[in-house]
């Protein structure tokens, strides 16, 4: 039986987020079985593309959503009018602004399948009124790291600066990914300040950029760093486009650290990417034991010690102790490319309906 053909609906963003990267990487992995279509409002071109597909795939939240209020709705409606399947991948739900959920509502109701990036997102959606009006064909899908591993590394100015600091004896604490309030990136500033109080020479590098919105994210971030007395020890790289430079920075980090408000979830591809640096990653554990059950790679990294879990509600003192312990330990090497390939195999099997790592019904027991 021929494999299903897909149409990936993507944005034209030059600076991509994790959701957009997942959409584009999915297209690369499906190769000749998928065509990418940029949401540009050209319905005639969309119709022509749909004619050659069995199903369209939309990932949410989309980049620059305020500029594309109607395009996802129009694309979803066109997909159904052409009698094609519509697969929606929801990477977030309650974390989205209510206006974004409102825009998503008609698209989700038109979906023939809904895939969730984590059990927490599935539970959040199940609690919403929209759940009763949407398809019951729901599954969980594992989210792989949102970048490809480079064969060579490039040391830019940030990498050279970090190298000089490490050579002088400074412990470099790192975090990869966008900086925004719900990620609690500023918690790493508090952890660094605690380490400094304990007498450790510490620096912090945030490999990513600020997400700009209604919040004064960047201003509040630097205000806290100044209040804690570590502003001269903090670097924010901004958006880094190439994996060669990205991993060139990663190799000069001693320990990566995250403290999420909800604890670790399987949709945190930035944690996976950081773990592939070969450096330990300290993060507060999921709220429920089965949060990573559908994600074989996360489970393997935790079991192997590359990802080191602390209590979900760990404070800065506990996190600082875990960082110090991790900095003195060794991470066993593993074949990252092989693990990524295996995970993408699971993603494609789930899309094709050949593999259901964990059903949403099982995920709902997560709430119990």
């Amino acid at each position: 039986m021929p494999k299903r053909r897909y149409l990936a609906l993507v944005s034209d963003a030059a600076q991509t987020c994790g959701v957009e990267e997942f959409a584009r990487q999915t297209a690369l992995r499906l190769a000749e079985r998928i065509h990418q279509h940029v949401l540009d409002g050209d319905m005639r071109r969309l119709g022509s593309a749909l004619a050659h597909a069995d199903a369209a795939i939309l990932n949410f939240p989309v980049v620059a959503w305020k500029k594309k209020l109607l395009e996802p709705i129009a694309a979803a409606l066109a997909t159904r009018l052409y009698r094609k399947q519509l697969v929606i991948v929801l990477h977030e739900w309650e974390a989205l602004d209510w206006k974004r959920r409102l825009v998503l509502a008609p698209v989700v109701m038109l979906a023939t399948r809904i895939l969730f990036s984590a059990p927490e997102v599935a539970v959040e959606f199940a609690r919403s009124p929209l759940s009763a009006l949407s398809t019951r064909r729901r599954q969980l899908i594992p989210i792989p790291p949102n970048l490809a591993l480079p064969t060579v590394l490039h040391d830019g100015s940030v990498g050279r600066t970090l190298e000089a600091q490490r050579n002088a004896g400074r412990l470099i604490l790192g975090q990869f990914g966008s900086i925004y309030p719900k990620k609690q990136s500023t918690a790493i500033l508090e952890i660094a300040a605690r380490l400094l109080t304990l007498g450790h020479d510490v620096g912090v590098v945030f490999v990513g950029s600020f997400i700009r919105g209604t919040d004064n994210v960047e201003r509040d971030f630097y205000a806290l760093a100044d209040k804690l007395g570590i502003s001269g020890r903090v670097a924010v790289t901004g958006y880094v486009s190439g994996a060669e430079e990205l991993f060139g920075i990663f190799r000069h980090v001693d320990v990566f650290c995250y403290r999420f408000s909800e604890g670790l979830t399987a949709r945190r591809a930035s944690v996976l990417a950081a773990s592939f640096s070969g450096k330990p990653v300290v993060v507060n554990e999921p709220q429920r034991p089965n949060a990573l059950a559908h994600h074989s790679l996360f489970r393997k990294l935790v079991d192997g010690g590359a990802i080191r879990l602390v209590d979900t509600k760990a404070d800065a003192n506990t996190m600082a102790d875990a960082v110090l312990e991790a900095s003195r330990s060794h991470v066993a090497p593993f074949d990252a490319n092989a693990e990524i390939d295996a995970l993408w195999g699971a993603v494609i099997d789930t899309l094709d309906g050949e593999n259901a790592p964990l059903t949403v019904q099982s995920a709902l027991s997560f709430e119990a």
Side-chain angles (χ1 to χ4, degrees):
M1 183 177 177
K3 291 284 189 178
R4 187 176 297 164
R5 298 166 301 166
Y6 296 99
L7 181 67
L9 303 174
V10 299
S11 81
D12 58 358
Q15 294 189 6
T16 56
C17 64
V19 174
E20 183 72 26
E21 276 302 319
F22 176 79
R24 297 183 187 186
Q25 288 293 324
T26 301
L28 290 175
R29 293 284 172 165
L30 281 163
E32 71 278 357
R33 287 206 290 137
I34 194 168
H35 174 70
Q36 292 189 62
H37 176 84
V38 175
L39 289 170
D40 58 2
D42 188 336
M43 300 308 296
R44 180 175 296 181
R45 195 170 68 86
L46 173 60
S48 177
L50 282 168
H52 301 286
D54 300 307
I57 307 173
L58 265 168
N59 283 265
F60 290 107
V62 297
V63 175
W65 72 280
K66 291 181 181 178
K67 297 179 181 179
K68 298 185 181 297
L69 293 175
L70 299 179
E71 287 181 25
I73 299 173
L77 185 58
T79 300
R80 297 306 305 276
L81 287 174
Y82 274 81
R83 298 185 179 182
K84 307 294 183 178
Q85 298 293 302
L86 177 62
V87 182
I88 302 298
V89 185
L90 282 179
H91 295 250
E92 298 181 23
W93 188 247
E94 287 182 359
L96 299 174
D97 183 275
W98 69 269
K99 295 185 290 296
R100 301 186 80 171
R101 294 198 297 271
L102 185 63
V103 171
L104 283 180
V107 181
V108 172
M109 286 190 290
L110 287 166
T112 56
R113 285 178 72 202
I114 303 176
L115 304 177
F116 299 96
S117 63
E120 295 87 351
V121 181
V123 170
E124 291 169 1
F125 185 80
R127 288 197 297 246
S128 72
L130 188 59
S131 176
L133 303 174
S134 304
T135 179
R136 308 308 299 178
R137 295 187 63 203
R138 305 175 191 175
Q139 291 174 275
L140 299 178
I141 190 168
I143 305 299
N146 54 11
L147 46 81
L149 297 179
T151 54
V152 296
L153 300 182
H154 171 64
D155 247 353
S157 58
V158 175
R160 290 191 293 271
T161 299
L162 295 177
E163 183 180 25
Q165 291 179 359
R166 289 183 76 208
N167 289 340
R170 177 168 288 185
L171 173 70
I172 303 298
L173 194 59
Q175 189 173 103
F176 168 58
S178 301
I179 303 170
Y180 54 95
K182 289 184 178 179
K183 190 177 179 182
Q184 292 196 156
S185 295
T186 52
I188 310 307
L189 300 179
E190 297 170 2
I191 295 164
R194 172 60 181 166
L195 290 169
L196 191 62
T197 300
L198 293 173
H200 300 280
D201 183 9
V202 61
V204 189
V205 59
F206 290 84
V207 189
S209 57
F210 295 94
I211 289 183
R212 306 185 189 281
T214 56
D215 302 294
N216 297 307
V217 179
E218 187 171 357
R219 185 197 67 186
D220 294 347
F221 176 93
Y222 284 114
L224 178 59
D226 189 56
K227 179 181 178 181
L228 293 171
I230 61 170
S231 56
R233 298 172 176 267
V234 177
V236 177
T237 66
Y239 181 74
V240 179
S241 59
E244 294 84 0
E245 184 176 357
L246 193 65
F247 278 87
I249 295 171
F250 284 3
R251 67 175 167 177
H252 299 300
V253 173
D254 292 295
V255 181
F256 286 89
C257 188
Y258 297 83
R259 191 175 75 185
F260 299 116
S261 58
E262 73 279 23
L264 177 64
T265 65
R267 65 188 181 88
R268 295 295 184 180
S270 57
V271 174
L272 288 179
S275 71
F276 287 162
S277 66
K279 305 301 177 66
V281 181
V282 173
V283 58
N284 55 333
E285 65 187 359
Q287 292 181 352
R288 293 289 190 274
N290 64 344
L292 306 177
H294 72 296
H295 205 296
S296 60
L297 181 52
F298 257 121
R299 296 199 313 270
K300 184 172 291 188
L301 290 170
V302 171
D303 292 343
I307 295 177
R308 295 149 194 266
L309 301 178
V310 297
D311 187 77
T312 308
K313 299 184 183 301
D315 60 14
N317 292 342
T318 302
M319 297 291 288
D321 290 342
V323 165
L324 286 177
E325 182 179 350
S327 70
R328 301 174 183 130
S329 62
H330 174 71
V331 175
F334 60 95
D335 190 337
N337 284 312
E339 297 295 344
I340 292 175
D341 288 343
L343 197 59
W344 273 112
V347 169
I348 292 171
D349 284 348
T350 304
L351 283 172
D352 286 338
E354 297 177 3
N355 179 30
L358 184 68
T359 63
V360 169
Q361 285 71 27
S362 298
L364 293 180
S365 66
F366 176 92
E367 199 174 26

